[in-house]
Amino acid sequence: MGILEQMLGKTRPGEQGIEGQSYTLPKETHDFVYPVAIRRDELEAFAELVAAEADAPPLADTSDDLQSVFDGMIGEGEVNAEELAEQLSSPRQAVEPILATWQDAVDQDIGVVYARVGAYENLLAFVKFCKQRDEDGEDPFELPETFSEAAALLKRLEAGTDTQYRALVHTDLLPDE
């Protein structure tokens, strides 16, 4: 077994009309991703949005008020307001590992990050959640001034993942799922 086969896996004849050899990589250590170019300032703006949402009073602080409303409308014990508030904080928890990995990867003004399938949807859900919180008159959360730069990252990610082209990379380079 040659060094290339040890590193890349088993070889076999090329597939789909490609001449030469193909390498089979283990699925446990490799994944298909979208390489997306992003700007460092957009990434920092998105991280600022995450920090602002994390620092804002949680929706759970209103769980007693919500619980009494639910009990009156639906019936006592039918909906647990604390569980609902916890579910509403999950968009931030989904994007935090993505951003942490990307911040480590981009150390210049512009860099390339690897977006797994679903990364765009998670970031989009978080942005929508933040906009809803900002528009709620009862919620003290406010969008940071750099929100437009965070939204630009989202647009760049949308364009980068709206393609059939994907790269195959080692999972050590990717955020946790």
Side-chain angles (χ1 to χ4, degrees), residues 36-99:
V36 179
I38 62 171
R39 298 185 184 283
R40 179 91 185 146
D41 57 348
E42 294 168 348
L43 187 58
E44 289 172 359
F46 211 98
E48 188 176 327
L49 178 62
V50 169
E53 199 280 327
D55 291 343
L59 295 174
D61 287 353
T62 61
S63 63
D64 290 339
D65 296 336
L66 285 174
Q67 190 66 58
S68 63
V69 169
F70 288 140
D71 289 347
M73 289 175 49
I74 300 172
E76 195 164 323
E78 295 292 321
V79 175
N80 185 325
E82 283 185 34
E83 287 178 13
L84 179 62
E86 190 174 310
Q87 287 176 352
L88 291 175
S89 70
S90 67
R92 176 175 30 88
Q93 294 166 355
V95 301
E96 286 174 328
I98 296 170
L99 287 178

Side-chain angles (χ1 to χ4, degrees), residues 7-8 25-32 168-171 174:
M7 290 174 46
L8 297 177
L25 301 173
K27 291 181 180 181
E28 302 81 39
T29 57
H30 292 80
D31 198 3
F32 283 101
L168 186 65
V169 298
H170 197 282
T171 53
L174 303 175

